Short mmCIF file of all heavy atoms in Angstrom, two decimals:
data_model
loop_
_atom_site.label_atom_id
_atom_site.label_comp_id
_atom_site.label_asym_id
_atom_site.label_seq_id
_atom_site.Cartn_x
_atom_site.Cartn_y
_atom_site.Cartn_z
N LYS C 1350 -17.65 -7.76 -91.28
CA LYS C 1350 -18.31 -7.24 -90.05
C LYS C 1350 -19.54 -8.01 -89.78
O LYS C 1350 -20.17 -7.92 -88.65
CB LYS C 1350 -18.69 -5.71 -90.21
CG LYS C 1350 -19.12 -5.02 -88.98
CD LYS C 1350 -17.98 -4.83 -87.99
CE LYS C 1350 -18.46 -3.96 -86.83
NZ LYS C 1350 -17.42 -3.78 -85.81
N SER C 1351 -20.03 -8.84 -90.72
CA SER C 1351 -21.29 -9.57 -90.50
C SER C 1351 -21.14 -10.87 -89.72
O SER C 1351 -22.16 -11.48 -89.35
CB SER C 1351 -21.95 -9.86 -91.87
OG SER C 1351 -21.09 -10.88 -92.64
N LYS C 1352 -19.94 -11.36 -89.51
CA LYS C 1352 -19.68 -12.61 -88.76
C LYS C 1352 -18.65 -12.46 -87.73
O LYS C 1352 -17.78 -11.58 -87.85
CB LYS C 1352 -19.31 -13.77 -89.72
CG LYS C 1352 -20.40 -14.17 -90.76
CD LYS C 1352 -19.80 -15.24 -91.73
CE LYS C 1352 -20.73 -15.56 -92.80
NZ LYS C 1352 -22.02 -16.09 -92.37
N THR C 1353 -18.69 -13.33 -86.76
CA THR C 1353 -17.61 -13.29 -85.74
C THR C 1353 -16.24 -13.89 -86.38
O THR C 1353 -16.33 -14.61 -87.41
CB THR C 1353 -17.99 -14.15 -84.59
OG1 THR C 1353 -18.09 -15.56 -84.94
CG2 THR C 1353 -19.26 -13.70 -83.92
N GLN C 1354 -15.18 -13.72 -85.68
CA GLN C 1354 -13.96 -14.24 -86.11
C GLN C 1354 -14.02 -15.76 -86.18
O GLN C 1354 -13.56 -16.43 -87.17
CB GLN C 1354 -12.82 -13.87 -85.19
CG GLN C 1354 -11.40 -14.26 -85.57
CD GLN C 1354 -10.43 -14.04 -84.52
OE1 GLN C 1354 -10.37 -14.80 -83.53
NE2 GLN C 1354 -9.53 -13.05 -84.65
N ALA C 1355 -14.60 -16.37 -85.22
CA ALA C 1355 -14.70 -17.85 -85.15
C ALA C 1355 -15.52 -18.31 -86.35
O ALA C 1355 -15.21 -19.42 -86.97
CB ALA C 1355 -15.27 -18.28 -83.86
N ALA C 1356 -16.63 -17.59 -86.70
CA ALA C 1356 -17.42 -18.05 -87.84
C ALA C 1356 -16.64 -17.89 -89.11
O ALA C 1356 -16.76 -18.77 -90.03
CB ALA C 1356 -18.62 -17.11 -87.89
N TRP C 1357 -15.84 -16.87 -89.30
CA TRP C 1357 -14.97 -16.71 -90.46
C TRP C 1357 -13.92 -17.85 -90.53
O TRP C 1357 -13.57 -18.30 -91.60
CB TRP C 1357 -14.30 -15.39 -90.54
CG TRP C 1357 -15.29 -14.30 -90.96
CD1 TRP C 1357 -15.67 -13.17 -90.21
CD2 TRP C 1357 -15.99 -14.18 -92.15
NE1 TRP C 1357 -16.55 -12.44 -90.97
CE2 TRP C 1357 -16.84 -13.07 -92.13
CE3 TRP C 1357 -16.06 -15.03 -93.32
CZ2 TRP C 1357 -17.64 -12.59 -93.20
CZ3 TRP C 1357 -16.89 -14.64 -94.38
CH2 TRP C 1357 -17.70 -13.42 -94.30
N ASP C 1358 -13.40 -18.25 -89.37
CA ASP C 1358 -12.50 -19.43 -89.34
C ASP C 1358 -13.16 -20.67 -89.98
O ASP C 1358 -12.55 -21.33 -90.79
CB ASP C 1358 -12.13 -19.77 -87.89
CG ASP C 1358 -11.20 -18.81 -87.25
OD1 ASP C 1358 -10.62 -17.95 -87.94
OD2 ASP C 1358 -11.02 -18.93 -86.04
N ASP C 1359 -14.43 -20.87 -89.67
CA ASP C 1359 -15.19 -22.01 -90.28
C ASP C 1359 -15.33 -21.79 -91.81
O ASP C 1359 -15.16 -22.71 -92.58
CB ASP C 1359 -16.50 -22.20 -89.61
CG ASP C 1359 -16.34 -22.64 -88.15
OD1 ASP C 1359 -15.34 -23.16 -87.81
OD2 ASP C 1359 -17.37 -22.34 -87.39
N VAL C 1360 -15.70 -20.56 -92.17
CA VAL C 1360 -15.98 -20.20 -93.62
C VAL C 1360 -14.66 -20.50 -94.48
O VAL C 1360 -14.76 -21.14 -95.53
CB VAL C 1360 -16.35 -18.80 -93.79
CG1 VAL C 1360 -16.41 -18.39 -95.28
CG2 VAL C 1360 -17.80 -18.54 -93.26
N PHE C 1361 -13.53 -20.13 -93.91
CA PHE C 1361 -12.25 -20.19 -94.75
C PHE C 1361 -11.52 -21.49 -94.43
O PHE C 1361 -10.46 -21.75 -95.07
CB PHE C 1361 -11.34 -19.00 -94.35
CG PHE C 1361 -11.82 -17.78 -95.06
CD1 PHE C 1361 -12.64 -16.81 -94.34
CD2 PHE C 1361 -11.43 -17.44 -96.33
CE1 PHE C 1361 -13.08 -15.65 -95.01
CE2 PHE C 1361 -11.79 -16.32 -97.01
CZ PHE C 1361 -12.61 -15.41 -96.32
N ALA C 1362 -12.04 -22.36 -93.63
CA ALA C 1362 -11.27 -23.59 -93.37
C ALA C 1362 -11.05 -24.35 -94.58
O ALA C 1362 -12.01 -24.64 -95.41
CB ALA C 1362 -12.18 -24.43 -92.31
N GLY C 1363 -9.82 -24.80 -94.86
CA GLY C 1363 -9.44 -25.60 -95.99
C GLY C 1363 -9.35 -24.86 -97.30
O GLY C 1363 -9.17 -25.42 -98.29
N SER C 1364 -9.38 -23.50 -97.28
CA SER C 1364 -9.32 -22.69 -98.48
C SER C 1364 -7.85 -22.22 -98.72
O SER C 1364 -7.08 -22.27 -97.87
CB SER C 1364 -10.24 -21.46 -98.42
OG SER C 1364 -9.69 -20.46 -97.62
N ASP C 1365 -7.64 -21.72 -99.91
CA ASP C 1365 -6.43 -21.13 -100.33
C ASP C 1365 -6.52 -19.57 -100.43
O ASP C 1365 -5.93 -18.96 -101.24
CB ASP C 1365 -5.91 -21.67 -101.62
CG ASP C 1365 -5.05 -22.92 -101.38
OD1 ASP C 1365 -4.58 -23.14 -100.23
OD2 ASP C 1365 -4.81 -23.65 -102.34
N ALA C 1366 -7.44 -19.02 -99.63
CA ALA C 1366 -7.70 -17.65 -99.70
C ALA C 1366 -6.72 -16.80 -98.94
O ALA C 1366 -6.89 -15.59 -98.86
CB ALA C 1366 -9.12 -17.32 -99.17
N CYS C 1367 -5.77 -17.41 -98.38
CA CYS C 1367 -4.69 -16.68 -97.56
C CYS C 1367 -5.37 -15.86 -96.47
O CYS C 1367 -5.23 -14.64 -96.32
CB CYS C 1367 -3.87 -15.77 -98.52
SG CYS C 1367 -3.00 -16.62 -99.77
N TYR C 1368 -6.09 -16.62 -95.61
CA TYR C 1368 -6.79 -16.12 -94.50
C TYR C 1368 -6.21 -16.55 -93.18
O TYR C 1368 -5.65 -17.70 -93.10
CB TYR C 1368 -8.30 -16.59 -94.59
CG TYR C 1368 -9.01 -16.44 -93.22
CD1 TYR C 1368 -9.73 -15.32 -92.96
CD2 TYR C 1368 -8.93 -17.44 -92.30
CE1 TYR C 1368 -10.46 -15.24 -91.74
CE2 TYR C 1368 -9.64 -17.36 -91.07
CZ TYR C 1368 -10.34 -16.23 -90.79
OH TYR C 1368 -11.02 -16.10 -89.59
N ALA C 1369 -6.20 -15.71 -92.18
CA ALA C 1369 -5.82 -16.08 -90.82
C ALA C 1369 -6.58 -15.15 -89.85
O ALA C 1369 -6.69 -13.94 -90.07
CB ALA C 1369 -4.29 -16.02 -90.62
N PRO C 1370 -6.96 -15.69 -88.68
CA PRO C 1370 -7.49 -14.82 -87.66
C PRO C 1370 -6.31 -14.10 -86.99
O PRO C 1370 -5.15 -14.58 -86.89
CB PRO C 1370 -8.07 -15.93 -86.64
CG PRO C 1370 -7.25 -17.14 -86.84
CD PRO C 1370 -6.95 -17.22 -88.24
N VAL C 1371 -6.56 -12.96 -86.54
CA VAL C 1371 -5.54 -12.08 -85.87
C VAL C 1371 -5.63 -12.46 -84.40
O VAL C 1371 -6.66 -12.10 -83.75
CB VAL C 1371 -5.72 -10.54 -86.02
CG1 VAL C 1371 -4.75 -9.79 -85.30
CG2 VAL C 1371 -5.68 -10.23 -87.55
N LEU C 1372 -4.62 -13.18 -83.92
CA LEU C 1372 -4.65 -13.72 -82.58
C LEU C 1372 -3.83 -12.94 -81.64
O LEU C 1372 -2.78 -12.34 -81.94
CB LEU C 1372 -4.12 -15.17 -82.53
CG LEU C 1372 -4.86 -16.14 -83.52
CD1 LEU C 1372 -4.22 -17.49 -83.45
CD2 LEU C 1372 -6.33 -16.27 -83.14
N SER C 1373 -4.27 -12.89 -80.34
CA SER C 1373 -3.49 -12.36 -79.30
C SER C 1373 -2.34 -13.32 -79.01
O SER C 1373 -2.29 -14.47 -79.47
CB SER C 1373 -4.31 -12.12 -78.03
OG SER C 1373 -4.71 -13.38 -77.45
N MET C 1374 -1.38 -12.89 -78.13
CA MET C 1374 -0.31 -13.77 -77.74
C MET C 1374 -0.82 -15.02 -77.11
O MET C 1374 -0.36 -16.20 -77.33
CB MET C 1374 0.70 -13.05 -76.88
CG MET C 1374 1.55 -12.07 -77.65
SD MET C 1374 2.90 -11.29 -76.65
CE MET C 1374 2.00 -10.09 -75.71
N ASP C 1375 -1.78 -14.88 -76.16
CA ASP C 1375 -2.36 -16.06 -75.58
C ASP C 1375 -3.09 -16.95 -76.47
O ASP C 1375 -3.04 -18.16 -76.40
CB ASP C 1375 -3.26 -15.59 -74.35
CG ASP C 1375 -2.56 -14.96 -73.22
OD1 ASP C 1375 -1.35 -15.26 -73.07
OD2 ASP C 1375 -3.15 -14.25 -72.46
N GLU C 1376 -3.89 -16.38 -77.34
CA GLU C 1376 -4.63 -17.12 -78.34
C GLU C 1376 -3.68 -17.89 -79.29
O GLU C 1376 -3.94 -19.04 -79.62
CB GLU C 1376 -5.47 -16.24 -79.12
CG GLU C 1376 -6.70 -15.67 -78.39
CD GLU C 1376 -7.40 -14.56 -79.06
OE1 GLU C 1376 -6.86 -14.01 -79.98
OE2 GLU C 1376 -8.71 -14.39 -78.78
N ALA C 1377 -2.58 -17.31 -79.70
CA ALA C 1377 -1.63 -17.94 -80.51
C ALA C 1377 -1.12 -19.25 -79.90
O ALA C 1377 -0.91 -20.23 -80.64
CB ALA C 1377 -0.48 -17.02 -80.89
N ALA C 1378 -0.89 -19.24 -78.61
CA ALA C 1378 -0.37 -20.43 -78.04
C ALA C 1378 -1.34 -21.58 -77.98
O ALA C 1378 -0.96 -22.76 -77.85
CB ALA C 1378 0.11 -20.11 -76.55
N ARG C 1379 -2.63 -21.24 -78.14
CA ARG C 1379 -3.67 -22.29 -78.08
C ARG C 1379 -4.17 -22.72 -79.44
O ARG C 1379 -4.95 -23.63 -79.58
CB ARG C 1379 -4.85 -21.79 -77.28
CG ARG C 1379 -4.56 -21.46 -75.80
CD ARG C 1379 -5.81 -21.24 -74.99
NE ARG C 1379 -6.61 -20.16 -75.53
CZ ARG C 1379 -6.55 -18.88 -75.03
NH1 ARG C 1379 -5.63 -18.55 -74.06
NH2 ARG C 1379 -7.31 -17.91 -75.54
N HIS C 1380 -3.71 -22.06 -80.52
CA HIS C 1380 -4.22 -22.37 -81.87
C HIS C 1380 -3.79 -23.82 -82.27
O HIS C 1380 -2.64 -24.23 -82.01
CB HIS C 1380 -3.69 -21.38 -82.90
CG HIS C 1380 -4.31 -21.46 -84.25
ND1 HIS C 1380 -3.95 -22.47 -85.16
CD2 HIS C 1380 -5.38 -20.87 -84.76
CE1 HIS C 1380 -4.68 -22.34 -86.23
NE2 HIS C 1380 -5.61 -21.40 -86.02
#
């Protein structure tokens, strides 16, 4: 709850922590 979803994307980038943002249908098409 302390960071935005985009910030967590940066934190977990390149990790093996089995992380993913929960995307809407429109967001999924742009990932």
Side-chain angles (χ1 to χ4, degrees):
K1350 191 72 171 175
S1351 69
K1352 298 180 187 293
T1353 65
Q1354 185 191 73
W1357 284 119
D1358 287 349
D1359 292 338
V1360 169
F1361 283 95
S1364 80
D1365 271 344
C1367 301
Y1368 161 93
V1371 177
L1372 303 178
S1373 69
M1374 288 187 281
D1375 288 340
E1376 290 170 336
R1379 299 192 298 266
H1380 190 276

